[in-house]
Amino acid sequence: MRREKYQWSPAVKPFLLFWLIDWLIKSLNSLRLVTNFDSHFSIYNFFSDLEQDGFSKNPFFHGIIAEVPEQHKTKEGHTKIGYALYFYSYSSWSGRAIYMEDLYVMPEFRGKGVGKALMSKVAQLALAAGCHQLNFTVLDWNKPSMDFYLSQGCFDITATMGYHCLRCEGEALQHLAQP
Amino acid sequence: MDFSIRAANLDDCKDIARMIMELAEYEKVSDHVKVTQKDLEQDGFSKNPFFHGIIAEVPEQHKTKEGHTKIGYALYFYSYSSWSGRAIYMEDLYVMPEFRGKGVGKALMSKVAQLGLAAGCHQLNFTVLNWNKPSMDFYLSQGCFDVTATMDYHCMRCEGEALKHLAQL
């Protein structure tokens, strides 16, 4: 049997959690630099947030990991070189849907089909669950990602249909919640 | 005007389906609606629901000429931000035209915000059509901000044949 180049492991084994979360923090920190997102979050809270929110009884998200064999690990010793986070969502027009919150591959492993394989796995999971849509967001100036997604048959709902993402958070959310 | 806000139950699916169609007509996309009352029953009210609903109801004496007392709804589900953590997503917010301007929409959205905070969520997210000025003005007045306009995020979708194709490695 041909050995798979990449191993797929639904990230549920508790004993992998420490490495996953440690690696995830570093990756998200580097992603934060790439997107110039100016946000403060505590590493220690973040550590336990992923454990509780992704791996308890009613998870808020699920994750998939892309891993390479030991001989291809990075100079820092990482074999987990990409990930996707997703959760189940709903469209009142089309029904069950899946939302891909993150898709990331470490820079030195790009252009080798890892991102495509991660996204493909999310699509498979979506179809298996009876979903009709895979939704996500992308920054419109992120041309490599935008080109990749359009090449995979995705379309830009903001550009074509005029949908804007809106958000309420912080003090405004507290205020809105007052009866 | 007297109205009440409560969690939706299985029996509300008929009215939710009716109002989904009314909202789609308002957004000029009624031919896009594929969800049926039965889909709503299975997807919203079985063991692991894909969404939750809240209903705005008026007393009998204020019912519409067709006899409806359920005059508004919101659909929401729990979501996640890898930056901020737990979040709530408001999929639909709708009030029948003759009941607008009386605080029903605000009350529905406020309930979604309360439910979000109760569940430990830090964000309430949703989408709005950029030409829908009354809705956009309402949301901005409630302290929401436009993530697309200010941070350049675009909503993307893969569906139909493209989704099936993507799923094949």
Side-chain angles (χ1 to χ4, degrees):
Chain A
M1 185 172 94
R2 181 176 168 272
R3 182 176 156 77
E4 289 290 332
K5 190 173 180 187
Y6 306 117
Q7 290 179 20
W8 305 118
S9 54
V12 295
K13 296 188 179 136
F15 63 86
L16 287 176
L17 267 177
F18 175 82
W19 306 111
L20 164 64
I21 291 161
D22 180 57
W23 167 85
L24 199 53
I25 290 169
K26 292 189 171 76
S27 302
L28 286 175
N29 270 319
S30 61
L31 178 63
R32 192 166 70 132
L33 289 170
V34 168
T35 58
N36 291 319
F37 181 78
D38 184 18
S39 166
H40 168 75
F41 55 85
S42 156
I43 293 288
Y44 303 106
N45 289 342
F46 186 68
F47 209 87
S48 63
D49 288 338
L50 288 177
E51 289 175 346
Q52 283 186 11
D53 297 340
F55 301 92
S56 52
K57 185 180 181 297
N58 293 313
F60 278 74
F61 70 88
H62 307 276
I64 49 174
I65 299 288
E67 214 164 358
V68 294
E70 272 290 318
Q71 63 265 35
H72 294 303
K73 69 185 179 194
T74 68
K75 61 182 193 313
E76 296 89 356
H78 300 307
T79 54
K80 291 163 200 155
I81 55 85
Y83 77 100
L85 294 189
Y86 66 93
F87 50 82
Y88 294 97
S89 61
Y90 205 72
S91 157
S92 54
W93 300 344
S94 318
R96 298 178 183 195
I98 209 167
Y99 187 88
M100 186 171 70
E101 165 63 13
D102 277 358
L103 176 65
Y104 177 75
V105 178
M106 292 175 72
E108 61 259 51
F109 295 93
R110 290 180 196 162
K112 303 178 198 303
V114 181
K116 164 95 196 277
L118 282 163
M119 195 170 178
S120 181
K121 179 59 71 177
V122 176
Q124 288 169 38
L125 290 160
L127 292 173
C131 301
H132 301 107
Q133 289 178 354
L134 189 166
N135 296 307
F136 54 101
T137 58
V138 66
L139 289 157
D140 76 340
W141 51 256
N142 186 349
K143 197 175 185 316
S145 294
M146 187 62 92
D147 288 347
F148 166 69
Y149 294 130
L150 295 174
S151 76
Q152 299 304 314
C154 305
F155 66 99
D156 185 332
I157 327 173
T158 295
T160 57
M161 297 171 75
Y163 278 101
H164 278 219
C165 311
L166 265 70
R167 177 170 300 155
C168 188
E169 60 185 1
E171 285 299 317
L173 184 59
Q174 308 272 354
H175 189 255
L176 178 61
Q178 316 273 326
Chain B
M1 183 189 74
D2 192 22
F3 64 90
S4 62
I5 304 288
R6 59 166 177 79
N9 58 49
L10 192 66
D11 297 329
D12 294 319
C13 288
K14 184 164 186 237
D15 285 276
I16 295 174
R18 166 181 63 83
M19 288 190 278
I20 284 173
M21 193 53 84
E22 290 174 17
L23 177 55
E25 279 159 16
Y26 173 79
E27 293 187 357
K28 306 172 192 172
V29 283
S30 37
D31 54 338
H32 286 203
V33 178
K34 306 285 185 275
V35 165
T36 62
Q37 178 182 333
K38 185 156 189 279
D39 291 330
L40 293 174
E41 289 170 356
Q42 283 188 3
D43 296 338
F45 300 93
S46 51
K47 186 181 181 299
N48 293 314
F50 277 76
F51 71 89
H52 307 278
I54 48 176
I55 299 284
E57 210 164 5
V58 293
E60 272 290 317
Q61 62 265 32
H62 293 304
K63 69 185 179 194
T64 69
K65 61 182 191 317
E66 296 88 358
H68 301 305
T69 53
K70 293 164 205 171
I71 55 84
Y73 77 100
L75 295 190
Y76 66 93
F77 50 82
Y78 295 98
S79 61
Y80 206 72
S81 157
S82 56
W83 294 343
S84 316
R86 298 180 183 192
I88 198 164
Y89 187 89
M90 186 171 69
E91 165 61 13
D92 279 356
L93 175 66
Y94 175 75
V95 179
M96 292 176 73
E98 61 259 51
F99 296 93
R100 290 180 196 162
K102 303 180 197 304
V104 182
K106 165 93 197 279
L108 282 163
M109 195 170 178
S110 181
K111 180 58 70 179
V112 176
Q114 287 169 36
L115 290 160
L117 290 173
C121 299
H122 302 107
Q123 288 179 353
L124 190 167
N125 296 306
F126 54 102
T127 57
V128 68
L129 287 158
N130 60 2
W131 54 255
N132 186 350
K133 196 173 184 316
S135 296
M136 187 64 88
D137 288 345
F138 166 70
Y139 294 130
L140 296 175
S141 75
Q142 300 304 315
C144 306
F145 68 97
D146 187 331
V147 170
T148 295
T150 58
M151 297 169 74
D152 298 325
Y153 277 100
H154 278 220
C155 309
M156 307 287 287
R157 177 169 297 156
C158 189
E159 60 185 0
E161 284 304 312
L163 183 59
K164 294 196 174 92
H165 189 256
L166 177 61
Q168 311 188 353
L169 189 54

